[in-house]
Amino acid sequence: MKSEPEKPEPSGKRAQPTRKIRESAALLPLLGIFLLLTPLISAFTQDSFTGGIPKAVSYIFGIWIGLIVLAAILARRLYNSGDG
Amino acid sequence: MQSFNLLVSICLLYVAALFVIAYVAERGVQEGRLNFLRSPVIYTLSLSVYCTAWTFYGAVGSAARSGLEFVAIYLGPTLVFVGWWWFLRKLVRIGRTQRITSIADLLSSRYGKSNTLAVVVTLLAVIGTTPYIALQLQSLTLSFFVFTGGSGEGTSTPFASVTAFWVAAGLAVFTIVFGTRSLDANERHHGVVTAIAVEAVVKLIALLSVGIFVVWGVASGPADIFERMDQDLLQSSQIFNGRWVTLMFLSAAAIICLPRMFQVVVVENSNERHLATASWAFPLYLFLMSLFVLPIAIAGQSELPADANPDLFVMTVPLAKGQGTLATLAFLGGFSSATSMVIVAAIALSTMMSNHIVLPIWLQLNKKRSPASDDVRTLLLRTRRISIGVVLALGYFYFQITGGSDALASIGLIAFLGVAQVLPALLGGVFWHSATRPAAIMGICTGFFFWAYTLFLPSFDGAFILSQSVIENGPFGISALRPQSLWGNSFEDPLVHAVFWSISFNTLVFVVASLLTNPNSMERQQSAQFINVYGRISPSSTIARNAEAEELLILAQRILGRQEAMNLFNQTAVSQGKVSGLPDPTQPFVEELERKFAGSVGAATSHAMLAQITGGESVSVEDMIAVADETAQIMEYSERLKTQSEELKKTAQQLRAANSQLLKLGEQKDTFLSQVSHELRTPMTSIRSFSGILRDSDSLPPEKLKHFSSVIHTESIRLTRLLDDILDLSFMENGKVQLNIAPVNLSEVINRAATATETQLQERSSELLRNPASEQIKVATDSDRLAQVVINLVANANKYCDAEPPQISVSCRRNGGTVEIDVADNGSGVDESEVELIFQKFSKLSGGFFVGSAGLGLPISREIMRNLGGTLTYEPGGAGALFRVTLPLEHTEPASA
């Protein structure tokens, strides 16, 4: 009895995030380009150190791993929603 | 220091292990076991062919020379993979649906299966890849020298060339054995891919090990390592410059366009979902590969003498610290990088060369013969093996000629830009409907020319084609044409200069030429298939081809192999509903065959072969006309549907109107019935009561008796008359009345009426005024019925005229083809609001007009006139009531009710 009224809900709910996720997946590289390929990068890469590591290194590698994590989350969501 | 022999033995053991892995993987997948080899992990690891020896060793060298710049080479691919949803997904989908075998095949297939384009791209790929293979050979020999105590400068010694030769030969054998085992329909090489995945792991472990050793073995942690850093190394305030953007662009383009990358990303992809995993896993791999690059470079700079080659820091740092095993591992990592790149590149190039150059030439030479008459399969495999040998030989000779020079060291980025020239045509092909084949060829050639002129040829420093003076002063001393600063434009960096000009001109020519030329029918078809690849549109199927099934079978056997061809044909025959024998060579079947063949020999060749058998191009003018006809038919059909639906709408409207009329009629009928029963009730009541009195009382005086029975008699007569009237009216309304049409003089009719109403008139001492002269009109009609109408009108006038004494006038008049009879009185007439009511059955007007009458006289008269083809109307505006009878001179059938 319980499963029946619940049935339409997931499909209706899923349609919304999938679209958002697809759009996010499409926009992620633009975010990467904005952070890595614009003069923005110079603002964060002055000659200084944080925790013994040059800021430039931590900035670039930080953005890099951030993109990877986001891509992994999105890929998983896309894969699970059957749209991979 | 390891001895040379030990090193060679390690290499041989390693290669032998790879052989075994590749063999086991190949067998396992064929037998359906080891399905994990099709997993996304293997796919991701195989993508690591991007990291060649040039990146394995060279990244550290680049970091030592120019700081963080090396990261751009990895960030470009990261952005492309993170954005897989945009482009790579579409590319892989196209590759799977169109059974693409190489980047040349993809472009040729998109641009109308053009072989010319395929040849251009193949040549470009060979020219761009050969130096790259040479670079791998150079890195390998260099790394050998590190262990054998050489300085790394002596790569042009005979010993070096012998080493390079054996390496090249060994790689050729490995590639031939595992790269050309079969003409697998999808050109997937599980053995090779698995071996490459293993090599990817070795690379990663080697570099991570050296990195960890450097950070925590040589130094005491990340902070310590960066403490040792030369302050000028990072130049971090200038990270963002033209070169940074250019390197990102180049590496992003390379990950798509490099033949070997295309091979692993698109051709070897067995499941689109693997791409989703690779979208983050491959960037992660690159991330890990570059994590320790900077520390190793810093360690090399601070620990080793100043003249040490930074390109070899990965090995020389552990060696200097006495870590022989670690250095050997690093050596194996470099060895893996070089071999995996060479193997995949050789497979990709050999596929292109055999499919797009050798096979078309062979087809051309054997134009007269059907391609089915020779064993294409054997020919293809042999061609591929020879091509692999040729590719490696080219690489080896290139290495021999330029070995050790700086020209080779910088060839990595130069090769990137070379193959990046296909990018505009590729992007245009996948996203732009108007991109055409001539434009693609012209764009690529333009880009190729600028690339060669501004970057490739100057890289030889005047040793090849362009002399030193031309490079410095321009051809014929024209400084505007100096290869490294065209039009006097001085970019700080020759690479940025070359990228800017070659890609700009390439794109410009491509776009302009696309706008100026028109795609042919095949291009249109293919562009639709490519651009709408997610839409699953099916190709048009109206194109007729005439082919013999036997010939097709023979050709299929030659290309696909006997067993697979038989299976395919049997399946098709069954799906066509045939119990035995060969399937009909229908269009869908031929198209399926073409796609299947394309998986082995490429789209252009496959198309050409089938065209040779089936005779002619796939799309002729007649076919187009047929398609157009079909469209016209569809349009006509839809037009018909539209009119039909309009008709239906009209009919429905009529039905609705009829229905409402029926409802009204039904209502009228009900009213009529209730009125009739009411009218019958009144006489019935008096008859019943009087007959009751007669029955019950025995002692009635005779005069009473007489009175009562006469009342019963009168009421019975009234009842009979009422029933007669109703019957009459019902007949009239149904048009069932029998008419005796005969010529008659109106005066006769009116005479009869006057006679019939004489007694009534006398009762009220009314006066009937006539005009005998006007009555002399002959009409063809039913005189009895007409007289009935006139009697009724006169009687009505006599009965209801409220003047004393009543005067009733009857006058006749001819009016064109009709005759009018007016019956008027001198009373007050009928109130205008009640005119319509008096013609209704059983009307009782408020003014007591019809009191005491059955009220059927006027309706019956009106029905009689309708049956006679005339009308009966009330004419308002006169002094008294005026009824006008209009009837035609000649009798005509009445309009139906």
Side-chain angles (χ1 to χ4, degrees):
Chain A
M1 288 304 282
K2 234 184 172 181
S3 68
E4 271 185 21
E6 274 172 16
K7 246 183 184 172
E9 224 187 302
S11 63
K13 259 189 170 177
R14 194 182 288 177
Q16 196 57 23
T18 307
R19 184 194 177 88
K20 290 272 158 83
I21 288 167
R22 270 190 270 126
E23 286 165 358
S24 314
L27 289 174
L28 191 58
L30 299 183
L31 176 73
I33 288 170
F34 174 70
L35 291 173
L36 295 171
L37 261 180
T38 57
L40 184 76
I41 197 169
S42 305
F44 289 94
T45 52
Q46 299 308 318
D47 282 322
S48 61
F49 287 74
T50 42
I53 297 166
K55 254 191 179 165
V57 175
S58 44
Y59 175 81
I60 290 177
F61 279 79
I63 298 284
W64 196 349
I65 198 78
L67 285 176
I68 291 168
V69 169
L70 282 178
I73 293 169
L74 287 175
R76 189 149 290 243
R77 299 283 289 274
L78 284 167
Y79 185 89
N80 285 345
S81 63
D83 227 329
Chain B
M1 289 264 166
Q2 314 280 335
S3 78
F4 182 74
N5 285 340
L6 180 63
L7 209 58
V8 170
S9 331
I10 290 173
C11 284
L12 286 179
L13 270 177
Y14 182 65
V15 171
L18 286 182
F19 260 97
V20 172
I21 288 168
Y23 180 75
V24 170
E26 191 93 10
R27 289 293 295 271
V29 170
Q30 259 173 17
E31 290 164 12
R33 296 180 291 113
L34 299 180
N35 274 331
F36 72 92
L37 292 179
R38 299 173 191 257
S39 74
V41 177
I42 300 287
Y43 176 68
T44 307
L45 287 175
S46 73
L47 299 182
S48 73
V49 288
Y50 180 71
C51 302
T52 63
W54 173 62
T55 37
F56 189 84
Y57 296 123
V60 175
S62 164
R65 286 187 210 97
S66 35
L68 278 170
E69 193 183 282
F70 78 97
V71 182
I73 297 294
Y74 296 105
L75 283 180
T78 298
L79 288 179
V80 171
F81 267 85
V82 161
W84 64 291
W85 196 259
W86 277 109
F87 187 67
L88 286 181
R89 191 172 65 108
K90 193 165 191 182
L91 209 57
V92 167
R93 177 72 68 89
I94 290 171
R96 290 171 61 74
T97 50
Q98 301 288 320
R99 292 174 176 260
I100 298 299
T101 59
S102 68
I103 180 126
D105 189 30
L106 180 92
L107 285 170
S108 125
S109 177
R110 158 62 181 83
Y111 293 104
K113 306 191 177 176
S114 149
N115 203 54
T116 321
L117 186 59
V119 170
V120 169
V121 177
T122 303
L123 289 178
L124 182 74
V126 170
I127 294 172
T129 309
T130 307
Y132 215 113
I133 292 175
L135 182 62
Q136 308 305 314
L137 296 179
Q138 168 164 299
S139 322
L140 279 177
T141 31
L142 266 180
S143 59
F144 268 110
F145 273 102
V146 169
F147 279 92
T148 51
S151 61
E153 301 295 321
T155 47
S156 50
T157 58
F159 179 66
S161 66
V162 170
T163 313
F165 176 79
W166 284 112
V167 169
L171 286 174
V173 170
F174 184 87
T175 315
I176 287 170
V177 169
F178 288 102
T180 61
R181 284 179 70 82
S182 65
L183 282 176
D184 192 351
N186 288 318
E187 286 301 302
R188 286 195 196 103
H189 310 90
H190 293 288
V192 172
V193 168
T194 310
I196 283 166
V198 171
E199 290 196 301
V201 175
V202 172
K203 273 192 269 193
L204 187 63
I205 289 175
L207 209 56
L208 287 179
S209 307
V210 175
I212 290 168
F213 167 72
V214 163
V215 174
W216 284 279
V218 178
S220 57
D224 186 30
I225 263 290
F226 284 112
E227 201 110 300
R228 298 158 188 241
M229 184 178 66
D230 182 356
Q231 285 308 309
D232 297 332
L233 179 68
L234 284 187
Q235 301 164 331
S236 30
S237 51
Q238 288 125 41
I239 283 185
F240 181 78
N241 55 24
R243 194 167 161 87
W244 174 260
V245 177
T246 306
L247 287 179
M248 287 263 239
F249 169 77
L250 266 189
S251 56
I255 201 81
I256 301 165
C257 302
L258 279 175
R260 66 169 191 278
M261 288 317 296
F262 191 88
Q263 178 79 26
V264 285
V265 173
V266 178
V267 181
E268 304 284 355
N269 177 290
S270 59
N271 185 339
E272 218 173 282
R273 292 193 163 189
H274 292 174
L275 199 57
T277 306
S279 75
W280 59 270
F282 180 57
L284 182 64
Y285 183 90
L286 296 178
F287 179 84
L288 294 175
M289 282 296 277
S290 46
L291 197 56
F292 289 108
V293 167
L294 210 52
I296 295 171
I298 294 167
Q301 277 182 330
S302 57
E303 301 292 321
L304 296 179
D307 65 337
N309 185 353
D311 283 336
L312 297 171
F313 279 170
V314 180
M315 280 183 300
T316 47
V317 170
L319 270 184
K321 295 285 170 189
Q323 298 285 336
T325 321
L326 190 60
T328 313
L329 185 61
F331 167 79
L332 273 186
F335 184 79
S336 299
S337 310
T339 48
S340 57
M341 179 271 159
V342 173
I343 290 167
V344 179
I347 290 175
L349 284 185
S350 73
T351 307
M352 286 196 227
M353 282 162 78
S354 62
N355 283 357
H356 302 306
I357 296 179
V358 178
L359 212 54
I361 292 175
W362 177 83
L363 271 180
Q364 199 67 29
L365 291 178
N366 299 299
K367 217 172 181 177
K368 299 269 155 49
R369 283 190 292 166
S370 159
S373 58
D374 292 277
D375 195 345
V376 181
R377 213 174 138 71
T378 317
L379 173 90
L380 218 49
L381 281 176
R382 206 171 291 155
T383 322
R384 256 176 226 183
R385 285 172 188 151
I386 295 169
S387 302
I388 289 171
V390 168
V391 167
L392 280 162
L394 279 176
Y396 174 71
F397 285 122
Y398 194 92
F399 166 73
Q400 278 293 93
I401 294 163
T402 62
S405 75
D406 289 339
L408 203 49
S410 57
I411 203 76
L413 287 171
I414 297 175
F416 274 20
L417 181 57
V419 292
Q421 298 306 328
V422 299
L423 188 68
L426 183 63
L427 288 176
V430 173
F431 292 111
W432 191 29
H433 275 287
S434 309
T436 65
R437 179 176 49 85
I441 295 174
M442 281 156 70
I444 290 173
C445 289
T446 308
F448 181 76
F449 169 79
F450 275 94
W451 167 72
Y453 185 68
T454 59
L455 196 64
F456 186 55
L457 296 179
S459 76
F460 293 96
D461 290 329
F464 187 56
I465 300 184
L466 292 184
S467 69
Q468 195 66 39
S469 71
V470 170
I471 294 173
E472 272 165 23
N473 306 317
F476 316 111
I478 305 169
S479 62
L481 296 181
R482 269 178 299 163
Q484 295 188 326
S485 61
L486 287 174
W487 292 279
N489 241 320
S490 61
F491 288 80
E492 64 211 277
D493 188 58
L495 180 71
V496 178
H497 173 263
V499 169
F500 179 78
W501 287 119
S502 63
I503 294 291
S504 303
F505 275 106
N506 182 338
T507 312
L508 186 73
V509 168
F510 172 67
V511 170
V512 171
S514 285
L515 293 176
L516 292 179
T517 52
N518 286 319
N520 63 31
S521 54
M522 181 59 102
E523 277 178 79
R524 278 180 213 280
Q525 199 179 320
Q526 286 299 99
S527 75
Q529 298 252 334
F530 271 57
I531 294 167
N532 309 328
V533 69
Y534 299 125
R536 294 172 213 283
I537 56 152
S538 56
S540 67
S541 55
T542 51
I543 302 149
R545 281 176 166 181
N546 6 314
E548 294 293 324
E550 287 81 10
E551 250 185 307
L552 286 177
L553 177 63
I554 296 166
L555 181 63
Q557 282 177 344
R558 302 273 188 241
I559 295 178
L560 302 173
R562 188 167 294 273
Q563 197 51 48
E564 200 183 333
M566 280 313 289
N567 286 345
L568 177 68
F569 274 64
N570 285 337
Q571 271 171 21
T572 314
V574 169
S575 70
Q576 284 181 355
K578 286 191 162 187
V579 184
S580 64
L582 290 171
D584 292 328
T586 57
Q587 182 62 23
F589 180 50
V590 174
E591 271 166 15
E592 192 196 336
L593 273 183
E594 190 174 320
R595 269 198 299 279
K596 275 238 171 347
F597 293 174
S600 294
V601 297
T605 311
S606 154
H607 183 63
M609 280 177 145
L610 277 167
Q612 218 156 317
I613 279 195
T614 56
E617 285 293 306
S618 72
V619 188
S620 65
V621 178
E622 287 75 28
D623 296 329
M624 292 307 240
I625 291 171
V627 174
D629 278 352
E630 206 170 89
T631 319
Q633 273 172 14
I634 290 168
M635 277 165 72
E636 196 190 308
Y637 183 65
S638 79
E639 194 62 38
R640 265 213 306 271
L641 278 180
K642 214 160 86 186
T643 32
Q644 251 173 19
S645 84
E646 261 163 28
E647 269 168 25
L648 278 177
K649 215 153 77 186
K650 232 183 274 171
T651 315
Q653 227 161 20
Q654 284 168 352
L655 276 176
R656 262 200 296 278
N659 186 37
S660 69
Q661 188 136 17
L662 279 177
L663 281 176
K664 216 158 72 189
L665 282 176
E667 244 167 58
Q668 280 177 2
K669 204 126 245 165
D670 287 347
T671 327
F672 179 70
L673 272 177
S674 76
Q675 281 168 340
V676 165
S677 32
H678 181 77
E679 291 298 328
L680 291 177
R681 245 184 108 80
T682 327
M684 278 306 246
T685 315
S686 46
I687 290 171
R688 210 179 62 204
S689 49
F690 282 112
S691 54
I693 294 169
L694 286 180
R695 188 191 62 196
D696 296 341
S697 53
D698 304 324
S699 55
L700 272 177
E703 62 270 26
K704 281 250 173 159
L705 199 74
K706 195 172 180 193
H707 174 66
F708 288 162
S709 40
S710 73
V711 167
I712 292 173
H713 184 245
T714 326
E715 289 301 309
S716 314
I717 289 173
R718 210 175 120 199
L719 211 57
T720 317
R721 202 172 55 227
L722 185 65
L723 288 174
D724 278 348
D725 281 356
I726 291 169
L727 221 56
D728 211 11
L729 189 64
S730 143
F731 269 128
M732 292 280 184
E733 281 184 341
N734 292 327
K736 282 180 187 161
V737 69
Q738 274 282 297
L739 296 174
N740 300 313
I741 308 294
V744 65
N745 204 319
L746 278 186
S747 62
E748 274 176 50
V749 176
I750 294 167
N751 280 344
R752 272 171 65 185
T755 317
T757 55
E758 205 172 351
T759 45
Q760 293 177 31
L761 292 174
Q762 275 170 3
E763 275 174 20
R764 280 195 74 182
S765 58
S766 313
E767 202 181 342
L768 185 66
L769 307 172
R770 291 177 59 182
N771 183 358
S774 72
E775 289 167 11
Q776 297 306 320
I777 302 171
K778 265 212 179 256
V779 287
T781 188
D782 187 323
S783 58
D784 293 346
R785 292 292 182 178
L786 186 58
Q788 194 185 340
V789 171
V790 177
I791 291 166
N792 185 262
L793 289 177
V794 171
N796 270 353
N798 180 47
K799 213 184 279 179
Y800 300 116
C801 180
D802 48 3
E804 282 303 334
Q807 280 185 341
I808 303 158
S809 71
V810 178
S811 59
C812 302
R813 186 166 54 252
R814 255 182 91 151
N815 189 358
T818 59
V819 179
E820 290 172 359
I821 307 168
D822 286 355
V823 180
D825 63 37
N826 57 347
S828 57
V830 181
D831 198 72
E832 210 167 314
S833 62
E834 293 175 329
V835 167
E836 263 313 301
L837 279 177
I838 55 173
F839 287 107
Q840 283 175 10
K841 297 157 209 166
F842 305 111
S843 303
K844 305 279 186 189
L845 296 192
S846 52
F849 194 82
F850 279 120
V851 177
S853 110
L856 283 175
L858 279 176
I860 289 176
S861 301
R862 183 174 249 194
E863 278 307 312
I864 290 171
M865 289 320 295
R866 200 177 59 77
N867 275 284
L868 291 177
T871 57
L872 169 62
T873 52
Y874 178 80
E875 298 294 318
L882 192 156
F883 288 91
R884 175 168 294 162
V885 172
T886 315
L887 80 158
L889 283 172
E890 296 294 326
H891 176 76
T892 49
E893 282 297 313
S896 60

